[in-house]
Amino acid sequence: LFHQVYWRKIPLYRLNQTWLFQEGFQIAREPVFERLKRLSDIILASVGLLLFALFFPFAALAIWLNDRGPVFFQQTRVGRNRILFEAVKLRTMRPHAEGDTYTRENDERITPVGRFLRATRLDEMPQLWNVLHGEMSLIGPRAEWVKLVEEYEHKIPCYHFRHLVKPGITGWAQVNYPYGSSVEDTLRKLEYDLYYLRYYSLVLDASIVLKTIQVMLFGKGR
């Protein structure tokens, strides 16, 4: 309880396969919220895409001029109920960049334009299209690369709980914990994702939106 009230996360030692039923899973009890969340996703994603359309020509030109590479980056991610989908982002790394699975601080694969896009989270904007398609929500656990999910599910008990909701462009873990670059970081972020699952509500979503705006304004993305 201390972790939930003061740190607003759920420690992994409390988990077992029946945890959600013991705690009272709010998603199952509030279908109205689910419909409201989808409606707000559609409206806000539509508005966001219209605003992004004004910025996109400049971003696309900057990305192309930097190295004459493609503007978009696509990757297979794991969605709700483990359904796979193609997430679309603005490309921030050199074309055909390979190497480390994770993005590191001062990663040489990231282009100068890409650093700005990542810091401001503008590289995430094309994912609003995934939101309109219903593959993602504006708010939820991070949509992870299928290759990483296979590793995490093998190493982390109950990791699959986070696939009970749609992944989000932003979320409780994303605004409370820095970018994860190891299995240990994933364990810590999962504690925040579980808190989001447990207290899934409009109030919590509103809090995440405010924190996300703060992150974008102060450029804390990686």
Side-chain angles (χ1 to χ4, degrees):
L1 185 60
F2 176 83
H3 290 80
Q4 296 181 52
V5 173
Y6 294 98
W7 292 339
R8 305 189 77 179
K9 62 181 182 178
I10 292 178
L12 296 182
Y13 69 80
R14 292 198 55 193
L15 291 188
N16 57 52
Q17 295 298 330
T18 62
W19 168 74
L20 288 177
F21 302 101
Q22 294 171 345
E23 295 285 345
F25 197 18
Q26 293 198 26
I27 296 173
R29 293 190 285 111
E30 297 184 16
V32 174
F33 170 59
E34 188 81 355
R35 289 191 286 270
L36 287 173
K37 185 177 175 68
R38 178 58 186 153
L39 179 62
S40 65
D41 277 346
I42 292 172
I43 294 172
L44 294 175
S46 299
V47 173
L49 283 171
L50 288 173
L51 295 174
F52 177 61
L54 301 175
F55 160 80
F56 174 71
F58 303 101
L61 182 61
I63 293 169
W64 184 80
L65 288 175
N66 190 79
D67 54 26
R68 302 300 193 272
V71 172
F72 293 108
F73 169 76
Q74 289 183 261
Q75 190 178 67
T76 303
R77 302 289 178 97
V78 179
R80 186 177 187 177
N81 298 324
R82 292 197 99 265
I83 295 174
L84 304 184
F85 68 96
E86 292 297 312
V88 184
K89 301 174 68 174
L90 292 178
R91 183 176 60 84
T92 59
M93 289 190 173
R94 291 182 285 103
H96 313 298
E98 296 180 356
D100 199 334
T101 303
Y102 300 102
T103 304
R104 306 292 179 179
E105 192 144 2
N106 300 317
D107 198 313
E108 293 183 353
R109 295 171 297 174
I110 301 176
T111 66
V113 173
R115 292 193 185 283
F116 170 77
L117 294 173
R118 282 173 175 260
T120 56
R121 300 289 179 92
L122 290 172
D123 64 314
E124 309 275 359
M125 294 298 284
Q127 290 182 108
L128 292 172
W129 189 251
N130 293 114
V131 174
L132 279 184
H133 274 211
E135 298 155 335
M136 295 180 66
S137 174
L138 290 174
I139 298 170
R142 175 184 169 84
E144 290 289 5
W145 184 23
V146 62
K147 182 178 178 180
L148 287 176
V149 169
E150 290 171 356
E151 177 186 357
Y152 296 153
E153 288 187 335
H154 178 70
K155 296 181 178 179
I156 304 173
C158 301
Y159 181 82
H160 61 280
F161 279 150
R162 67 195 301 282
H163 297 137
L164 289 169
V165 296
K166 291 179 183 179
I169 294 178
T170 186
W172 190 238
Q174 293 95 302
V175 298
N176 280 287
Y177 195 90
Y179 175 86
S181 57
S182 67
V183 174
E184 180 62 30
D185 283 337
T186 301
L187 287 167
R188 302 286 73 80
K189 294 192 78 167
L190 180 58
E191 293 179 330
Y192 288 104
D193 284 333
L194 294 173
Y195 180 92
Y196 180 74
L197 289 173
R198 175 68 182 85
Y199 295 102
Y200 196 64
S201 67
L202 287 173
V203 173
L204 184 55
D205 275 10
S207 175
I208 292 168
V209 169
L210 293 175
K211 283 178 174 284
T212 301
I213 292 172
Q214 183 182 24
V215 169
M216 293 179 71
L217 290 176
F218 293 98
K220 297 179 180 179
R222 188 192 301 178

